[in-house]
Amino acid sequence: MIDPSYIEEILIPTDVLQARIAELGAQISRDYEGQDLMLIAVLKGSVLFMADLMRHITVPHSIDFMATSSYGAAFESSGVVRILKDLDTSIEDRNVLIVEDIIDTGRTLNYLLRILRARQPRSLEICALLDKRSRREVDVPVKYVGFEIPDKFVLGYGLDFVEKYRNLPYIAVLARKFYAPE
Ligand code: IMP
Ligand code: MG
C-alpha cells in the first residue's frame, strides 16, 4: 500500500488504534447516556476515525461534516479558518462533539470552537484521536484524546502526506528525509 522507504516507523499499529477507539466510544456512550448527541467531523482527515468511533457509540446520534481550509503558509497553521463546507443542520441547543484527527498548534480548533459557540449549542466538546501537545500554541479544551504523540509528521488512518496514504490502517511516522532533509 505504501513504499516502505516513506515510513520511519509504525507509531500506532492497527490493533492498538482500534482498542483505544473502542474505549473512547464506550466513554462517550457513558457520558452522553440519555442525551441527544451530534458528532461533527472535520474533513478530510477525520473520516476514518469518525466511521470507526461512531460504531462504538451506543447512544443514538446524528452526524454532520465541515470542511475548512487554513489561510497562510502551506505548512504553518495560521489559525484563520475559511469554511469550505458548512454544516447541513443547526446545532442550536444540541450536544455537539467535534471529532478531529489531530491537534497540533490548536489554532484550527480554537477558531472552529469560536464559530460553533456563536451558534449556541447546548454543549460543545472535542474528541481528538491524536494530540501533539508539545506543539500547542493556543490552549484548547479537549475532553477526549486517543493518543498523545511526539512532534513528528504522521500519516495514515485519515492523515495524508500530500493528499495520499489516508487509507493506511495504522499511524506511521513519515521518513525524515521527506520533511526535514539533512
Ligand atoms: P493546528 O491548527 O496546528 O492544530 O492544525 C491541525 C491540522 O494540521 C490537522 O487537522 C491536520 O490537518 C494538520 N496536521 C498537523 N500535524 C499533522 C501531521 O503530523 N500529519 C498530517 N497532518 C497534520
Ligand atoms: Mg484536519
Side-chain angles (χ1 to χ4, degrees), residues 6-142:
Y6 276 61
I7 291 178
E8 185 178 293
E9 61 168 325
I10 292 181
L11 190 64
I12 310 171
T14 304
D15 55 342
V16 177
L17 200 54
Q18 291 298 333
R20 182 70 186 124
I21 292 168
E23 280 177 9
L24 287 172
Q27 196 183 343
I28 292 165
S29 303
R30 283 192 299 275
D31 292 353
Y32 289 91
E33 197 180 345
Q35 297 180 65
D36 153 72
L37 176 62
M38 181 174 176
L39 305 179
I40 295 179
V42 186
L43 296 171
K44 307 167 198 172
S46 307
V47 164
L48 273 69
F49 179 38
M50 173 81 131
D52 284 337
L53 180 67
M54 64 188 286
R55 278 180 273 200
H56 292 286
I57 297 179
T58 54
V59 300
H61 58 277
S62 57
I63 64 168
D64 206 341
F65 297 91
M66 278 182 100
T68 59
S69 88
S70 185
Y71 284 115
F75 294 102
E76 283 298 316
S77 177
S78 65
V80 179
V81 173
R82 192 159 54 102
I83 296 178
L84 300 178
K85 183 224 171 289
D86 207 338
L87 300 171
D88 295 334
T89 44
S90 166
I91 61 168
E92 193 178 339
D93 206 31
R94 314 240 6 222
N95 296 307
V96 172
L97 182 60
I98 301 174
V99 176
E100 253 289 37
D101 49 0
I102 186 167
I103 311 182
D104 188 21
T105 64
R107 291 181 181 278
T108 307
L109 270 175
N110 183 57
Y111 194 80
L112 207 58
L113 278 179
R114 264 191 285 152
I115 292 173
L116 295 179
R117 254 188 219 124
R119 300 181 186 182
Q120 297 177 320
R122 188 180 311 169
S123 65
L124 183 60
E125 302 289 353
I126 297 169
C127 176
L129 180 63
L130 307 174
D131 185 356
K132 281 190 195 173
R133 198 158 297 170
S134 63
R135 292 258 309 162
R136 199 63 39 82
E137 292 172 15
V138 185
D139 191 37
V140 178
V142 190

